[in-house]
Amino acid sequence: MSGIDAKKIRTRHFREAKVNGQKVSVLTSYDALSARIFDEAGVDMLLVGDSAANVVLGRDTTLSITLDEMIVLAKAVTIATKRALVVVDLPFGTYEVSPNQAVESAIRIMRETGAAAVKIEGGVEIAQTIRRIVDAGIPVVGHIGYTPQSEHSLGGHVVQGRDASSGKLIADARAVEQAGAFAVVLEMVPAEAAREVTEDLSITTIGIGAGNGTDGQVLVWQDAFGLNRGKKPRFVREYATLGDSLHDAAQAYIADIHAGTFPGEAESF
Ligand code: KIV
């Protein structure tokens, strides 16, 4: 079954896709060139994730990326995107203090980047904040299960929602939906629990490490397309080996320079 049929994707298309049983595709993007390629390929949503802290800025966790840094990256993505709906993460420290702080951060993202929505981590505890952002006219994507900004309190990169905490997962999902989010990311939860949440909710669920029963899937593109040659989570499927291709291309370039064969006549004035 094909994806969303629209020239420009809006939040309502995600609702319609769920009703029609159409799966939605999401990729991260943090720059104009990848955004243009993924948009032209037909991805439904582009997520300017705070995973940029890891895969763009080389940091160990997502905690240190700032709103200013996110805004620079998000602007590049929106400039290059015609069809996909662009969503930007609210980074750590820009929404937890109060709903007012969250609304101000979300307004900056919308005003300065041209994105169509923001994403925010958390469930029941963040529901009131989601409601305030939605009431300000800003579409919200929730993010529950494993939430990387809370990795220290969650005890590391571990699957959430197993047995004892499966009640929390469904409570978080319902709270996010009731607060007005139009979609929710389910990260690293058992496939069965993600399927149950998906059946329970009327908003779109987007899985990452959450099995095949969600309404859509998201992956970090550097993992999915092999630019990242390091260790990858088990839930990643590698569709290309761009890291190896780049490495080989760089070696060929260096060898041509050493051999004096680049530039040739065709590349000279
Ligand atoms: O920051 C990010 O890339 C994300 C995805 C893993 C969903 O939040």
Side-chain angles (χ1 to χ4, degrees):
M1 189 174 281
S2 60
I4 293 172
D5 180 19
K7 278 211 169 88
K8 172 110 191 108
I9 298 187
R10 308 282 181 181
T11 56
R12 73 182 143 83
H13 292 119
F14 289 89
R15 274 190 291 281
E16 289 165 13
K18 176 143 185 158
V19 170
N20 297 334
Q22 286 174 307
K23 295 268 189 185
V24 296
S25 56
V26 185
L27 277 169
T28 63
S29 179
Y30 324 89
D31 69 278
L33 291 184
S34 71
R36 179 162 297 129
I37 292 168
F38 302 155
D39 192 45
E40 288 174 0
V43 75
D44 298 314
M45 181 188 287
L46 284 173
L47 171 65
V48 186
D50 60 358
S51 51
N54 312 119
V55 294
V56 177
L57 302 176
R59 301 176 192 163
D60 281 344
T61 77
T62 59
L63 299 183
S64 65
I65 197 162
T66 65
L67 192 54
D68 288 341
E69 288 170 330
M70 290 296 296
I71 285 172
V72 170
L73 303 176
K75 258 190 218 167
V77 171
T78 60
I79 283 171
T81 303
K82 290 198 170 85
R83 175 181 172 276
L85 188 128
V86 178
V87 179
V88 182
D89 256 336
L90 277 167
F92 179 68
T94 68
Y95 61 90
E96 298 90 338
V97 175
S98 67
N100 281 352
Q101 183 204 26
V103 173
E104 280 172 11
S105 301
I107 286 174
R108 269 202 70 196
I109 287 176
M110 300 302 281
R111 186 186 270 160
E112 296 179 38
T113 73
V118 299
K119 178 166 81 58
I120 185 166
E121 293 187 7
V124 171
E125 74 287 358
I126 212 75
Q128 200 197 343
T129 298
I130 293 177
R131 170 50 63 196
R132 284 285 309 282
I133 299 172
V134 170
D135 285 348
I138 300 171
V140 172
V141 177
H143 184 158
I144 61 173
Y146 178 71
T147 44
Q149 292 174 15
S150 308
E151 71 158 83
H152 297 298
S153 57
L154 293 176
H157 201 232
V158 280
V159 174
Q160 304 294 308
R162 287 201 204 275
D163 310 328
S165 59
S166 64
K168 172 167 168 43
L169 188 72
I170 192 78
D172 283 341
R174 287 178 181 165
V176 165
E177 170 168 89
Q178 278 159 21
F182 74 94
V184 61
V185 170
L186 306 180
E187 180 162 355
M188 281 183 61
V189 299
E192 198 40 47
R195 187 179 296 278
E196 280 168 22
V197 168
T198 300
E199 284 167 7
D200 189 72
L201 297 189
S202 59
I203 61 171
T204 305
T205 60
I206 301 165
I208 174 161
N212 202 15
T214 53
D215 300 312
Q217 298 290 332
V218 57
L219 283 175
V220 170
W221 83 258
Q222 288 87 345
D223 293 340
F225 305 143
L227 186 63
N228 174 9
R229 299 205 297 165
K231 196 167 170 281
K232 280 170 283 286
R234 168 178 152 190
F235 56 74
V236 171
R237 183 178 294 177
E238 207 174 68
Y239 289 87
T241 50
L242 295 187
D244 290 343
S245 301
L246 266 184
H247 175 268
D248 294 351
Q251 278 196 331
Y253 169 68
I254 293 162
D256 282 357
I257 293 171
H258 290 165
T261 58
F262 176 79
E265 258 183 49
E267 292 121 352
S268 304
F269 297 102

